[in-house]
Amino acid sequence: MDRPKATPLVALSVALALCTATAVEAEGLPAVDFEVLADARLSVVSGEQSWFDDWLGKLRYGGDRGGEGQGRFRLAELSLMARSDITWDLQAFVHAKFDPEQDKPADLVEAFLHYKPVPTSSVQYEARAGLLFPHISRENIGAAWTSPFTITPSAINSWVGEEIRALALEGKATLRLENQKLSLTAAVFGFNDPAGSLLAFRGWALGDYKTGAFSQVPLAPVPSIQPGGFLEDQPLWVHPVRELDGRPGFYASLDWDYAKRVKLGAFYYDNRGDPETFKHNQYAWDTRFWNVYAEVEAPAGIKIMSQFMTGNTMMGTLYDGMRMVDADFAAGYVMATRKLGQHRISLRRDWFDVDDNTFVSQDNNNEVGTAWTLAFNAKVGKKANLIAEFLHVDSNRPAREGIWRDAEQVQTQLQVSYRQRF
């Protein structure tokens, strides 16, 4: 399988960030704080194989080829994070990781500079520049872009971890009033043209995998992208962090916080991909979406969180006024979470769907599904957590029939994660 080469602009940006963040403490040079996150994982999963096994399973881990349950014990992730306060106002951050699914021994997740001067008025300004996650996820707020609520993020934030990463220049302004905070964020970005490939050809999934900047992820060998298929130029992989058409994208968000008890926000993303561009064995996808969220501190110490995402992705030349692939997508979740001393229990309900608008007889990307997740996060040390999680997902995807499976599949997963920070 051909591997995509690192593009010069990303390689240069990464090199600059790494040189900054790995500077040793010496005269005239900033100090660097390092943190390591290790995640040891025990999982037992029933149902179809994982999408990492070139299949259409909805979870990071899956059953065996016969659909029977399968247990695993492995190192799910080893992340290294480096932070350096270059000045009082400027910080460098680098996050690199290793995990068994990654097709590189080690890869970069994020590398950016964060400028945040001390506010001199009710308005505070800040900026980030580099390879980064846009602030979409309400779940992944822990070290190494992990979630303190569950092991497995929602379908929305699982996809963000897989495909939404950008080389961006982002600015943010925050107005602080009594008991209220209003923030406006805007950015221009590149290197995210293939985003949407996984949603179209695989559909939604639930997993805690974060695609590295130079890594690719697999696609199942459905007939449409096999030799002789409707889209045979599409390889059986996608490299999400890639610039193909030379057109910058943009995103913007508005967030409101009332007394840290009610939080509302809306985010819009448009990569402005040219759907007719095909370069480096990859299509550029024209992908746009809205993401809205709400968080409420309810009685009895319960926090209610919800996100909803809706958008469209398309690629390919026009045939009879239609793109080769044109799919609407939507997903949402509601989660209730409560602290129990130093521990936390969380219950989440997911739903997701993809509506295929073109050439369904040759390439059916329709999908609908739901999932339940229950997790208990126990703090077992100063920097250690033990998380137990139950996840059940039921999905219907007609494309499974092209690889000799029933369209509807059910998967149940039990996981225990031991996270240790150093």
Side-chain angles (χ1 to χ4, degrees):
M1 182 183 295
D2 294 334
R3 304 295 187 186
K5 296 180 180 178
T7 55
L9 183 55
V10 171
L12 177 61
S13 300
V14 169
L16 289 172
L18 283 171
C19 288
T20 301
T22 56
V24 296
E25 187 172 7
E27 185 177 354
L29 293 177
V32 180
D33 293 324
F34 292 96
E35 185 176 16
V36 174
L37 172 69
D39 185 338
R41 188 78 54 83
L42 175 64
S43 64
V44 179
V45 192
S46 66
E48 63 181 330
Q49 293 169 257
S50 167
W51 64 277
F52 278 108
D53 294 324
D54 303 322
W55 214 250
L56 288 170
K58 291 299 171 191
L59 302 177
R60 179 174 177 177
Y61 309 121
D64 62 19
R65 289 188 178 273
E68 299 297 324
Q70 188 168 211
R72 297 176 181 83
F73 179 72
R74 63 174 64 191
L75 178 66
E77 177 179 346
L78 184 64
S79 279
L80 171 65
M81 293 153 285
R83 293 177 177 83
S84 178
D85 291 324
I86 302 170
T87 68
W88 287 104
D89 299 334
L90 183 64
Q91 182 185 75
F93 175 76
V94 175
H95 172 199
K97 75 173 177 70
F98 162 83
D99 65 53
E101 285 76 37
Q102 197 161 270
D103 73 335
K104 300 288 188 295
D107 205 347
L108 191 72
V109 179
E110 292 186 282
F112 60 84
L113 298 175
H114 185 192
Y115 177 67
K116 189 175 182 179
V118 176
T120 57
S121 68
S122 59
V123 180
Q124 182 176 32
Y125 300 96
E126 57 187 289
R128 297 192 298 166
L131 183 70
L132 51 87
F133 283 111
H135 288 305
I136 299 172
S137 177
R138 307 306 299 177
E139 299 174 281
N140 298 78
I141 57 175
W145 211 75
T146 57
S147 168
F149 308 106
T150 59
I151 299 171
T152 306
S154 62
I156 289 174
N157 295 315
S158 294
W159 178 60
V160 171
E162 295 159 356
E163 285 205 284
I164 303 300
R165 200 82 41 77
L167 192 67
L169 176 60
E170 175 190 275
K172 181 178 180 180
T174 301
L175 173 64
R176 297 177 182 273
L177 303 172
E178 185 178 0
N179 294 326
Q180 295 188 65
K181 187 168 64 173
L182 185 66
S183 298
L184 175 65
T185 305
V188 293
F189 68 87
F191 291 84
N192 204 200
D193 288 334
S197 305
L198 282 177
L199 273 187
F201 293 128
R202 179 211 62 189
W204 295 95
L206 290 95
D208 59 323
Y209 180 77
K210 302 173 282 283
T211 304
F214 303 110
S215 292
Q216 61 191 42
V217 288
L219 294 173
V222 293
S224 63
I225 57 177
Q226 290 277 47
F230 178 60
L231 296 162
E232 63 179 350
D233 288 339
Q234 171 65 50
L236 297 180
W237 51 266
V238 58
H239 181 197
V241 185
R242 191 86 192 202
E243 181 59 43
L244 300 173
D245 58 14
R247 295 167 53 169
F250 70 93
Y251 63 79
S253 67
L254 186 65
D255 302 88
W256 178 65
D257 181 331
Y258 179 75
K260 297 183 179 181
R261 297 193 61 82
V262 178
K263 297 179 181 180
L264 305 173
F267 176 99
Y268 182 73
Y269 165 105
D270 186 347
N271 71 349
R272 298 184 64 249
D274 178 0
E276 299 190 7
T277 296
F278 183 77
K279 189 184 294 184
H280 307 301
N281 290 321
Q282 296 283 276
Y283 282 98
W285 291 67
D286 184 6
T287 300
R288 294 154 286 158
F289 63 82
W290 281 95
N291 179 79
V292 295
Y293 73 87
E295 296 181 13
V296 177
E297 296 291 342
I302 298 173
K303 182 176 185 177
I304 306 297
M305 302 171 58
S306 181
Q307 281 182 249
F308 175 73
M309 178 182 285
T310 182
N312 175 269
T313 187
M314 63 177 67
M315 69 81 151
T317 54
L318 286 168
Y319 288 96
D320 296 327
M322 297 185 294
R323 295 290 177 190
M324 296 164 69
V325 179
D326 181 343
D328 297 323
F329 57 88
Y333 74 85
V334 175
M335 179 166 62
T337 181
R338 188 182 190 279
K339 281 189 173 182
L340 303 172
Q342 292 187 309
H343 314 310
R344 180 183 290 276
I345 187 168
S346 303
L347 176 65
R348 187 184 67 224
R349 174 66 163 174
D350 278 86
W351 62 96
F352 52 86
D353 71 74
V354 177
D355 296 320
D356 196 339
N357 300 318
T358 57
F359 305 110
V360 174
S361 61
Q362 297 101 323
D363 178 43
N364 193 334
N365 296 305
N366 284 298
E367 176 177 89
V368 63
T370 60
W372 283 101
T373 306
L374 175 65
F376 183 74
N377 185 341
K379 190 172 182 61
V380 294
K382 186 177 180 181
K383 292 188 175 183
N385 291 75
L386 190 67
I387 310 173
E389 178 187 87
F390 167 84
L391 197 162
H392 179 82
V393 57
D394 185 340
S395 64
N396 187 299
R397 187 172 183 84
R400 288 188 176 112
E401 296 174 347
I403 53 175
W404 310 104
R405 287 293 178 101
D406 292 336
E408 184 165 4
Q409 295 288 328
V410 174
Q411 287 181 277
T412 300
Q413 177 176 261
L414 296 173
Q415 287 195 98
V416 177
S417 168
Y418 177 74
R419 293 178 184 168
Q420 177 70 59
R421 291 181 292 127
F422 304 93

